[in-house]
């Protein structure tokens, strides 16, 4: 049993965010007998299409969050850029099983790295950076190349700037990649503040010589925690392109990669008192070790394969976790390859659906098709993930993403 209040079928779960993750959460919740409310600024958003009702409002609308809370027995969220303070104000009227500590930690890269490192888990070397002087000092310590990242709000490569040469530091100072500096009332003031106003609070991460990127999902109900297989992730243009399950060094659940990833996932879950699903992005090192890259306090794009390939998927595990239900240990029923369908891939993949019975095609129901926007995904169950990945690429649907 969980220490969380156990929700009964017929209860209402409110989801902050109405995109594809919210949609797949809602679908799992509906199978389990829950009703679903959605808060999202876009009418008829993907989650609302399968939910029971929607509040059309911005995510930071305190009054709207209160209305959602008043109509819900518990709240959850599908992305991390949620106003934690607003959620705290409604804890007296509804359950928030995930709490807001996890949200706050994963919203700020300094807090996130500090939390991970405090649990004895390795990350890329990093330093906080709030000025050009800080940046120069951090580069002197960590060397180049390195990646400058905003502490808050970055995703899919946004809020990141790669420094490869000393000249790139000057580019940061002059172009202000996180936005213009505040207006100065005099040339003297401008000169005195230029070094500290070049960009928003950031961190500098040293480059890691890794073999490939991977991820692991862990789900919990506050007391019990379970993990999914380690998968390999392939990115193109800083967006996840393909996930291969399991990763080649994690085919054996007792392999070094499987054991180390599972161990760190459980340590982090216990540290958070995790309710729901947490995604942990990893660097797999060339010597077989593993470092944590980032955390996502929710189901994750790299876990979509679990819908067809596992005994329980990441969305059902998330709903069971926040509902205080017990969690079965996930089993991989078949190796699988998942590939994202971005806006430019919608037409070519739809044209081939009739020729590929092996494709499990998911369309998120987004009304506007845009370049590089995640519109759906395709999963293929297979006994040969390398051959299947090659066959998907050979269709030509993803030629624009060739490395």
């Amino acid at each position: 049993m969980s220490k969380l209040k156990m929700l009964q079928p017929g209860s209402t779960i409110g989801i902050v965010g109405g995109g594809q993750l919210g949609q797949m959460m809602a679908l799992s919740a509906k199978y389990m007998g829950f009703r679903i409310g959605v808060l999202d600024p876009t009418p008829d958003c993907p989650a609302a299409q399968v939910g029971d009702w929607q509040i059309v409002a911005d995510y930071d609308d305190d009054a709207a969050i209160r209305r959602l809370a008043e109509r819900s027995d518990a709240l959850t969220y599908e992305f991390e850029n949620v106003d934690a303070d607003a959620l705290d104000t409604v804890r007296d009227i509804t359950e928030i099983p995930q709490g807001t500590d996890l949200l706050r930690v994963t919203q700020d890269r300094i807090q996130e790295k500090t939390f991970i490192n405090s649990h004895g888990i390795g990350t890329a070397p990093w330093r906080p950076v709030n000025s050009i002087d800080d940046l120069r000092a951090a580069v002197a310590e960590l060397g180049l190349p390195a990646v400058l990242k905003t502490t808050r709000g970055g995703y899919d490569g946004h809020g990141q700037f790669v420094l490869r040469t000393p000249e790139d530091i000057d580019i940061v100072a002059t172009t202000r990649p996180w936005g213009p500096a505040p207006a100065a009332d005099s040339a003297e003031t401008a000169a005195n503040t230029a070094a500290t106003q070049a960009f928003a609070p950031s961190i500098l991460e040293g480059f890691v010589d890794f073999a490939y990127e991977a991820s692991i999902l862990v789900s919990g109900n506050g007391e019990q925690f379970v993990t999914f297989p380690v998968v390999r992730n392939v990115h193109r243009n800083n967006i996840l392109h393909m996930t291969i399950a399991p990763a080649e060094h994690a085919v054996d659940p007792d392999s070094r990669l499987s054991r180390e990833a599972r161990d760190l996932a459980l340590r982090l879950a216990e540290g958070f008192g995790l309710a729901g699903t947490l995604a942990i992005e990893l660097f797999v090192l060339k010597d077989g070790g593993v470092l944590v890259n980032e955390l996502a306090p929710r189901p994750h794009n790299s876990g979509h394969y679990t819908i067809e390939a596992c005994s329980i998927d990441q969305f059902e595990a998330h709903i069971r976790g926040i509902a205080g239900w017990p969690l079965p240990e996930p089993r991989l029923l078949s190796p699988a390859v998942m590939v994202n369908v971005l806006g430019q891939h919608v037409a070519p993949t739809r044209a081939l659906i009739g020729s590929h019975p092996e494709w499990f095609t998911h369309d998120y129901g987004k009304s506007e098709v845009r370049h590089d926007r995640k519109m759906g995904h395709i999963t293929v169950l297979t006994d040969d993930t390398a051959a299947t990945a090659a066959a998907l690429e050979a269709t030509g649907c993803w030629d624009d993403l060739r490395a």
Side-chain angles (χ1 to χ4, degrees), residues 10 21 25 36 44 49 79 95 100 105 107 126 155 166 177 221 242 249 265 273-274 318 339 341 367 374 388:
L21 298 178
M25 284 182 197
I36 293 294
D44 196 39
Q49 293 169 22
F79 62 99
E95 300 291 324
T100 51
V105 167
Q107 284 177 340
W126 64 277
Y155 68 95
N221 61 12
M242 183 176 287
H249 296 98
L274 178 68
H318 180 80
V339 62
V341 176
S367 59
K374 293 172 184 173
T388 297

Side-chain angles (χ1 to χ4, degrees), residues 39 115 143 194 198 205 208 218 274 277 291-292 313 320 333 335 361 384-385 399:
L39 171 64
F115 185 90
E205 289 185 8
V208 174
V218 58
L274 178 68
T277 293
L291 297 176
V292 172
D313 67 62
R320 291 180 73 100
L333 303 178
T361 302
D384 188 335
T385 56
D399 278 356

Side-chain angles (χ1 to χ4, degrees), residues 2 35 41 48 65 98 141 177 180 189 212 227 235 252 259 295 302 314-315 317 352 360 393 400:
S2 166
R35 293 191 175 277
I65 289 177
Q98 293 159 279
E141 287 188 65
T189 301
Y212 57 87
T227 60
H235 291 81
D252 180 354
R259 287 186 288 103
L295 307 178
S302 68
Q314 64 166 339
F315 301 101
L352 292 180
F360 289 91
E393 300 286 16
D400 66 302

Side-chain angles (χ1 to χ4, degrees), residues 6-325:
M6 185 171 175
L7 298 182
Q8 296 296 322
S11 301
T12 298
I13 296 174
I15 303 176
V16 181
Q20 64 267 22
L21 298 178
Q23 182 188 66
M24 289 181 272
M25 284 182 197
L27 287 168
S28 287
K30 296 295 284 182
Y31 279 127
M32 297 162 66
F34 296 111
R35 293 191 175 277
I36 293 294
V38 178
L39 171 64
D40 193 275
T42 303
D44 196 39
C45 58
Q49 293 169 22
V50 299
D52 294 281
W53 47 269
Q54 179 183 5
I55 294 174
V56 179
D58 289 333
Y59 307 122
D60 59 357
D61 185 326
D62 290 356
I65 289 177
R66 180 158 287 271
R67 293 201 305 275
L68 180 71
E70 289 170 345
R71 299 180 63 181
S72 303
D73 297 292
L75 294 187
T76 187
Y77 42 83
E78 68 144 14
F79 62 99
E80 47 268 46
N81 294 323
V82 178
D83 188 338
D85 291 338
L87 290 181
D88 279 337
T89 66
V90 298
R91 294 179 105 167
D92 59 327
I93 57 176
T94 192
E95 300 291 324
I96 304 181
Q98 293 159 279
T100 51
D101 290 344
L102 170 62
L103 193 58
R104 286 188 169 91
V105 167
T106 55
Q107 284 177 340
D108 185 284
R109 284 193 168 97
I110 290 178
Q111 290 192 46
E112 182 178 87
K113 302 288 188 188
T114 300
F115 185 90
I116 294 167
N117 294 157
S118 72
H119 284 76
I121 299 167
T123 61
W126 64 277
R127 297 290 184 274
V129 171
N130 295 296
S131 68
I132 289 297
D133 288 342
D134 285 350
L135 179 58
R136 294 188 192 281
V139 168
E141 287 188 65
L142 302 181
L144 294 175
V147 185
L148 182 68
K149 299 180 179 181
T150 54
T151 58
R152 301 177 71 89
Y155 68 95
D156 286 348
H158 298 280
Q160 298 187 20
F161 188 85
V162 178
L163 291 86
R164 300 186 184 279
T165 68
E167 288 72 28
D168 288 332
I169 301 174
D170 298 325
I171 292 174
V172 171
T174 56
T175 63
R176 308 184 188 280
W178 314 147
D185 56 12
S186 70
E188 181 181 3
T189 301
N192 289 338
T193 61
T196 60
Q197 299 293 351
F199 39 76
S202 306
I203 67 170
L204 186 74
E205 289 185 8
F207 259 35
V208 174
D209 187 19
F210 60 90
Y212 57 87
E213 294 177 78
S215 59
I216 185 170
L217 303 168
V218 58
S219 299
N221 61 12
E223 290 187 337
Q224 176 204 3
F225 311 105
V226 299
T227 60
F228 288 81
V230 182
V231 298
R232 177 170 184 161
N233 297 321
V234 179
H235 291 81
R236 295 284 185 267
N237 303 329
N238 294 310
I239 300 173
L240 180 64
H241 168 50
M242 183 176 287
T243 293
I244 298 169
E248 57 262 44
H249 296 98
V251 174
D252 180 354
D254 291 322
S255 67
R256 177 185 176 186
L257 174 57
S258 296
R259 287 186 288 103
E260 290 191 6
R262 185 168 57 243
D263 175 69
L264 67 85
L266 292 174
R267 270 189 279 164
L268 291 173
E270 290 167 0
F272 284 121
L274 178 68
T277 293
L278 171 71
I280 304 169
E281 298 179 42
L282 306 168
F283 293 129
V284 178
L285 306 180
K286 293 180 178 179
D287 68 1
V290 63
L291 297 176
V292 172
N293 180 22
E294 292 183 348
L295 307 178
R298 49 165 173 79
H300 193 259
N301 193 170
S302 68
H304 292 347
Y305 78 96
T306 61
I307 297 172
E308 285 84 21
C310 291
S311 56
I312 178 174
D313 67 62
Q314 64 166 339
F315 301 101
E316 181 180 349
H318 180 80
I319 297 299
R320 291 180 73 100
I322 65 169
W325 289 22

Side-chain angles (χ1 to χ4, degrees), residues 344-393:
Q344 62 269 35
H345 310 137
V346 169
T349 54
R350 285 182 179 177
L352 292 180
I353 288 174
S355 305
H356 290 278
E358 76 279 11
W359 285 8
F360 289 91
T361 302
H362 296 252
D363 188 288
Y364 303 146
K366 295 181 179 179
S367 59
E368 183 182 357
V369 177
R370 295 200 306 264
H371 188 89
D372 280 353
R373 189 185 195 192
K374 293 172 184 173
M375 302 298 298
H377 71 269
I378 293 168
T379 299
V380 180
L381 304 182
T382 177
D383 292 326
D384 188 335
T385 56
T388 297
L392 284 163
E393 300 286 16

